[in-house]
Amino acid sequence: QVQLVESGGGLVQAGGSLRLSCAASGTIFKINAMGWYRQTPGNERELVAAITSGGNTNYADSVNGRFTISRDNAKNTVYLQMNSLKPEDTAVYYCNADIKPGILYGGRNYWGKGTLVTVSS
């Protein structure tokens, strides 16, 4: 079984920075794309940033230029460096990964439990 565990969330003042981490563990043959999503009460979960196994990245317009996604394949870990944080960035941030559990299996989608980021004004 595969588990994604996020860390790094917390309280920060507007203009500050946080770095989120997400480590994948379990039965893993290969990790394809990984990404970060966020969600606030009453709203749909939205994509924040994604990164392919080859290192190509994609960002939501609202965070482009402020956030940076990266990954360490040796550690099965994806990071989200968040700079110039704004109160509207406050949300629960979820790690997502497309993981191939075995050589004969296709990629499967997994979610972490989420980590809360609160940005005060």
Side-chain angles (χ1 to χ4, degrees):
Q1 297 183 14
V2 173
Q3 184 177 28
L4 302 179
V5 179
E6 302 101 333
S7 63
L11 300 173
V12 65
Q13 292 184 346
S17 299
L18 283 175
R19 189 191 190 213
L20 305 183
S21 299
C22 172
S25 62
T27 304
I28 299 172
F29 177 76
K30 182 180 184 296
I31 301 179
N32 299 312
M34 304 185 79
W36 289 94
Y37 291 71
R38 67 187 182 188
Q39 187 171 27
T40 55
N43 297 313
E44 294 183 352
R45 190 171 298 182
E46 65 176 2
L47 175 68
V48 176
I51 184 168
T52 68
S53 60
N56 294 321
T57 59
N58 185 47
Y59 298 92
D61 289 341
S62 59
V63 307
N64 194 28
R66 299 187 297 119
F67 291 9
T68 302
I69 189 170
S70 62
R71 62 192 290 169
D72 185 338
N73 292 328
K75 295 182 177 180
N76 292 333
T77 300
V78 62
Y79 306 94
L80 185 67
Q81 178 66 47
M82 304 184 293
N83 298 326
S84 301
L85 283 163
K86 305 174 181 179
E88 49 263 46
D89 294 319
T90 296
V92 176
Y93 284 71
Y94 295 90
C95 179
N96 176 264
D98 185 70
I99 297 175
K100 186 178 176 67
I103 191 169
L104 299 179
Y105 295 82
R108 300 179 181 181
N109 191 252
Y110 297 90
W111 290 95
K113 294 182 179 179
T115 184
L116 178 63
V117 172
T118 302
V119 184
S120 64
S121 60

